[in-house]
């Protein structure tokens, strides 16, 4: 089975998703496309169409709810109050636009606009593309906060155990997980992680979750569990 995933971060979220999905679903092939948020909220229909034309009918789009603010380049982020509902609607309306030349992708967007309740009075049509939207609240880096045991072990050495100061927050409550991990690892005896950088270390942290048999702890994040549930419902194995 082939499944497409469109996400943010070629050097951050993509490697994390690749490790997680290939471990959880070893019999499924994943085609993962990483774009910046501006592309996701403007020309994502091109990537969806490319996946569909290559024979992939199941596509999940994953992005972070944050950051938001008037200084951001993407209209979906201009609201000072983070809203997954608003961002989902903005994403779908950017698919259902005259600039989108792909008829099947537009039909899918219109169907989802009805299913989400963003439009009334129509009937959602059957479409050839199974598209799921997963807006992570607040950032995918938060999944790495799911188990303090993994983080503590990474930052420790045989001679000295790392203290979690400050303590970890719940994945779905931390608005700046990369910043929190930077503070946590700053006191790490293990020099490899002392200067945490998400581009360099996120992949290593996910590997540690897998190697220590702790990956299922990430299910405490609703967005992580939603992604896993969607893929299982599609038949990923």
């Amino acid at each position: 089975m082939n499944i497409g995933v469109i996400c943010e971060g070629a050097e951050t979220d993509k490697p994390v998703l690749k490790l997680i999905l290939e471990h959880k679903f070893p019999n499924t092939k994943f085609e993962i496309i990483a774009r910046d948020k501006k592309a996701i909220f403007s020309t994502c229909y091109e990537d969806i169409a490319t996946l569909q034309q290559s024979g992939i009918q199941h596509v999940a789009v994953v992005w972070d709810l944050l950051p938001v603010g008037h200084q951001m380049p993407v209209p979906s982020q201009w609201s000072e109050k983070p809203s997954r509902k608003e961002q989902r609607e903005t994403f779908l309306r950017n698919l259902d636009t005259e600039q989108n030349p792909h008829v099947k992708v537009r039909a899918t967007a219109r169907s989802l606009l009805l299913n989400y309740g963003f439009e009334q009075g129509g009937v959602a049509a059957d479409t050839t593309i199974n598209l799921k939207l997963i807006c992570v609240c607040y950032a995918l880096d938060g999944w790495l906060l799911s188990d303090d045991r993994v983080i503590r072990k990474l930052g420790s050495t045989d001679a000295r155990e790392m203290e979690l100061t400050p303590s970890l927050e719940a994945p779905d409550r931390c608005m700046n997980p990369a910043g929190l991990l930077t503070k946590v690892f700053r006191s790490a005896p293990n020099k490899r992680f002392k200067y945490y950088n998400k581009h360099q270390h996120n992949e290593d942290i996910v590997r540690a979750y897998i190697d220590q048999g702790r990956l299922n702890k990430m299910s405490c994040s609703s967005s992580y569990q939603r992604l896993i549930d969607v893929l299982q419902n599609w038949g990923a194995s």
Side-chain angles (χ1 to χ4, degrees):
M1 183 178 192
N2 295 342
I3 291 177
V5 178
I6 301 170
C7 68
E8 295 184 70
E11 297 179 359
T12 52
D13 291 0
K14 180 178 178 178
V16 165
L17 286 168
K18 186 174 186 295
L19 279 173
I20 291 172
L21 299 182
E22 289 181 351
H23 177 76
K24 294 286 291 185
F25 306 105
N27 299 315
T28 300
K29 181 179 179 182
F30 292 95
E31 181 68 31
I32 304 177
I33 299 174
R35 302 293 185 200
D36 61 26
K37 188 164 289 181
K38 184 176 181 180
I40 288 177
F41 279 89
S42 57
T43 57
C44 194
Y45 49 77
E46 295 291 354
D47 288 326
I48 297 171
T50 297
L51 291 169
Q52 192 267 334
Q53 290 161 8
S54 69
I56 294 175
Q57 304 303 322
H58 302 287
V59 179
V61 183
V62 184
W63 74 90
D64 294 343
L65 178 60
L66 293 183
V68 296
H70 293 300
Q71 78 279 9
M72 303 305 295
V74 181
S76 68
Q77 296 178 282
W78 290 348
S79 172
E80 293 292 344
K81 185 176 181 180
S83 171
R84 281 182 285 186
K85 180 179 178 181
E86 180 181 359
Q87 291 195 14
R88 287 192 190 104
E89 181 175 6
T90 300
F91 175 84
L92 291 172
R93 294 202 182 280
N94 286 341
L95 295 186
D96 187 21
T97 175
E98 292 182 357
Q99 284 71 43
N100 176 5
H102 306 287
V103 175
K104 294 179 180 179
V105 178
R106 287 195 66 179
T108 300
R110 285 194 293 273
S111 180
L112 286 176
L113 284 166
L114 288 166
N115 286 338
Y116 275 113
F118 297 134
E119 290 189 358
Q120 305 296 328
V123 178
D126 291 335
T127 61
T128 58
I129 305 172
N130 200 340
L131 180 65
K132 295 294 184 181
L133 311 183
I134 299 171
C135 179
V136 180
C137 180
Y138 290 96
L140 194 142
D141 301 327
W143 296 356
L144 308 182
L145 305 176
S146 297
D147 189 11
D148 56 3
R149 172 174 145 181
V150 172
I151 300 302
R152 185 182 292 109
K153 187 171 182 178
L154 280 172
S156 301
T157 63
D158 292 340
R160 182 183 166 197
E161 183 173 313
M162 182 181 76
E163 296 183 6
L164 284 179
T165 306
S167 58
L168 299 184
E169 296 180 40
D172 294 345
R173 295 182 182 178
C174 185
M175 300 182 76
N176 183 13
L180 178 56
L181 286 168
T182 299
K183 292 178 182 178
V184 166
F185 281 121
R186 194 171 290 156
S187 60
N190 186 346
K191 293 182 179 180
R192 181 182 175 190
F193 288 91
K194 190 175 182 65
Y195 301 101
Y196 166 81
N197 180 298
K198 61 187 294 181
H199 295 80
Q200 178 181 356
H201 295 111
N202 279 8
E203 195 172 354
D204 293 333
I205 296 174
V206 175
R207 283 201 183 94
Y209 270 89
I210 293 171
D211 292 345
Q212 295 177 37
R214 307 289 285 179
L215 187 60
N216 286 342
K217 296 288 287 184
M218 290 188 183
S219 293
C220 66
S221 167
S222 61
S223 56
Y224 172 86
Q225 191 57 50
R226 171 165 162 72
L227 176 61
I228 299 303
D229 289 345
V230 162
L231 300 177
Q232 287 177 335
N233 289 337
W234 282 343
S237 64

